[in-house]
Amino acid sequence: MHSFWTLDEARAVVAAVQPGTRVVMVGAGFISFTILNAILSRGALLTIVEVAPRILPRMVDETCAQIVARWLEKHGVTLRVGATLTKIEEWKGRRKLSFKKGDPIFADAVIMATGIKTNLEWLEGSGIEVSAEPGGGVLVTITCARA
């Protein structure tokens, strides 16, 4: 199991990946895509798991996500979107990832690249308006004045 937040963690991930290593990356956003090519170039068999209904859910629209998904699949990446991970456990020297729906996935290495969860609770009652959307933030109004 690997996290991926620092350069040293990224180096540890890449060092653990050899040709034929079955790697599962949990999360299909910015963090995952910063290391994806390094994993593929080392000959890994990569599966990307995303809870959202498509990859890159906070970065691009549906059309762009489909283009990127086709590129990934062309390069041997298996995608599993709309998948809620429920458990990761040891299984015969490997990792077994179980899901709310569907078959488990077995991996030699798991990379947790799920990003962050916005913490806005501390703003409750402050009068600052926040988005009710998942992953939302502080709402702002931008006005442009002409000089």
Side-chain angles (χ1 to χ4, degrees), residues 2-119:
H2 298 276
S3 294
F4 183 65
W5 287 100
T6 68
L7 182 56
D8 286 339
E9 288 172 335
R11 288 178 176 146
V13 169
V14 172
V17 176
Q18 304 300 318
T21 302
R22 294 190 178 280
V23 177
V24 174
M25 201 159 8
V26 180
F30 176 78
I31 295 169
S32 294
F33 280 77
T34 61
I35 193 169
L36 180 128
N37 281 321
I39 291 169
L40 291 178
S41 70
R42 297 190 56 86
L45 304 171
L46 179 60
T47 298
I48 298 176
V49 173
E50 172 59 47
V51 69
R54 63 181 170 84
I55 61 169
L56 300 166
R58 293 185 185 177
M59 294 178 66
V60 300
D61 64 13
E62 179 70 32
T63 301
C64 185
Q66 289 176 6
I67 292 168
V68 175
R70 284 193 298 271
W71 183 91
L72 290 169
E73 290 167 348
K74 179 181 170 186
H75 288 85
V77 177
T78 301
L79 299 175
R80 188 158 176 184
V81 296
T84 302
L85 180 64
T86 58
K87 185 185 341 181
I88 301 174
E89 59 191 326
E90 279 288 327
W91 187 85
K92 297 184 180 181
R94 301 175 82 197
R95 302 283 189 212
K96 178 182 177 184
L97 291 81
S98 298
F99 300 89
K100 194 180 243 184
K101 295 180 184 174
D103 295 331
I105 298 175
F106 298 90
D108 301 307
V110 177
I111 301 168
M112 299 302 293
T114 56
I116 60 168
K117 180 180 184 270
T118 308
N119 177 6

